[in-house]
Amino acid sequence: MLLSGLAVSALALYIRQGNAVPAPTGVNVITPVTGWGDNPTKLDLEIYVPSKLAEKPAVILALHGCGGTGAAYAQGTKYSSLADSNGFVVLYPSSRKDNNCWDVATTKTLTHDGGGDSTGLANMVKWAITKYGADSAKVFVTGTSSGCMMSNVMAATYPDLFTAVSCYSGVAAGCLAGSPGSSPQSADPTCASGQIVKTSLGWAAQARAMYPGYNGTYPRMLIWHGEADDFVHYANFAEELKQWSGVLGLAWTKNNTDTPQPSYTQIVYGDGTKLVGYSAKGVGHTVPVHEDADLRWFGI
């Protein structure tokens, strides 16, 4: 995939986004873990467990963007420090392939127990639930850019594992299906450029097909995207909302301007408890992580 000078600059920002953010004060050391279960794509895992763990704690799976690592995402976000005051466990996995992007393109990862990245990530979460006596009703996934793309995939492939999702600047689950890769260099650019458009029913059918025969509930979805994002194009925001409104059977209700802050618009579906979008005016790639809003959405 040939890139223009502008695209190369955007790519440089995209690749740095997991590494260039200074560590916020108070972030504690995360611990590498091995032997957590079947790991078909050889992912790495580091975890943060607060000194005072809640009884039956919550678990958050936090997914870095392309070019990043779990350790860098731990430094660049506040989930670890918030875990100290809320007693939950944070999982920070790392992808080491395709420019450290999560695989959101292959049939294996887009299939429940298919043996792709999604299977390894699900096994990490299951291990943590058992290891720490976690509340299986308080298991969440969040991520930025490629991590958001993977969060959507996890909601589709393992909806019975996660209660809620909050993700930033990604694409709908299955948008990159069949692409030769998932990174800016290897991917078919049609998805990231916002050119894959489907109906709500079409997107919902694609998500549901990732877990054939599943008839249970799907996670609550919180979707963030910048209106000035032309790298993972803002058009993808509408496709994500169409997908999850179709899966959850919800219709648009209202918009609330300057929520949760000036220049952001809250887009509410149904009664606002299962699907909400946040559109950020003037924000490119990526929307800054709003950890406090995530925790409220998760109910932690």
Side-chain angles (χ1 to χ4, degrees):
M1 181 172 67
L2 296 177
L3 299 174
S4 66
L6 179 61
V8 169
S9 297
L11 175 59
L13 175 63
Y14 186 75
I15 297 308
R16 291 198 310 269
Q17 53 108 2
N19 295 299
V21 181
T25 302
V27 169
N28 294 295
V29 176
I30 59 176
T31 304
V33 175
T34 58
W36 41 264
D38 184 36
N39 185 12
T41 57
K42 296 180 171 57
L43 305 177
D44 293 332
L45 173 61
E46 294 171 273
I47 65 171
Y48 183 74
V49 180
S51 58
K52 188 176 181 180
L53 193 63
E55 185 177 358
K56 294 186 71 65
V59 174
I60 295 178
L61 177 66
L63 302 175
H64 64 74
C66 281
T69 63
Y73 204 57
Q75 291 183 334
T77 57
K78 298 188 297 184
Y79 297 116
S80 297
S81 57
L82 289 168
D84 285 333
S85 54
N86 292 277
F88 57 81
V89 177
V90 192
L91 309 182
Y92 295 105
S94 297
S95 170
R96 299 296 186 183
K97 298 178 181 178
D98 197 7
N99 205 35
N100 289 20
C101 299
W102 300 103
D103 173 16
V104 293
T106 68
T107 299
K108 286 184 175 182
T109 200
L110 298 176
T111 304
H112 179 81
D113 288 346
D117 279 0
S118 61
T119 299
L121 293 171
N123 288 339
M124 291 177 185
V125 172
K126 293 173 184 176
W127 168 85
I129 293 171
T130 300
K131 173 71 175 179
Y132 298 103
D135 186 344
S136 60
K138 294 183 178 179
V139 178
F140 312 104
V141 58
T142 187
T144 295
S145 192
S146 178
C148 178
M149 299 177 194
M150 195 71 216
S151 296
N152 282 318
V153 169
M154 296 307 295
T157 53
Y158 292 91
D160 51 341
L161 191 57
F162 298 98
T163 303
V165 175
S166 178
C167 77
Y168 299 82
S169 308
V171 302
C175 184
L176 274 162
S179 170
S182 300
S183 72
Q185 297 98 324
S186 64
D188 179 337
T190 308
C191 172
S193 61
Q195 297 180 59
I196 296 183
V197 178
K198 300 184 181 184
T199 65
S200 180
L201 290 176
W203 278 122
Q206 186 163 9
R208 290 185 181 280
M210 296 181 196
Y211 191 170
Y214 179 70
N215 292 314
T217 59
Y218 280 79
R220 306 190 305 271
M221 304 297 298
L222 187 63
I223 309 295
W224 307 74
H225 216 112
E227 293 182 19
D229 191 342
D230 58 3
F231 193 72
V232 177
H233 199 278
Y234 178 62
N236 284 294
F237 179 57
E239 302 308 302
E240 287 177 275
L241 291 174
K242 284 196 291 185
Q243 181 171 64
W244 294 111
S245 63
V247 169
L248 296 168
L250 299 171
W252 172 84
T253 302
K254 62 181 178 180
N255 288 355
N256 296 315
T257 58
D258 294 324
T259 304
Q261 66 192 63
S263 299
Y264 280 59
T265 298
Q266 182 190 54
I267 303 166
V268 179
Y269 288 77
D271 63 4
T273 62
K274 294 183 179 180
L275 176 61
V276 171
Y278 284 114
S279 177
K281 186 176 181 180
V283 176
H285 194 78
T286 59
V287 174
V289 176
H290 289 61
E291 297 93 341
D292 292 330
D294 291 346
L295 263 57
R296 287 193 297 272
W297 182 251
F298 295 159
I300 298 176

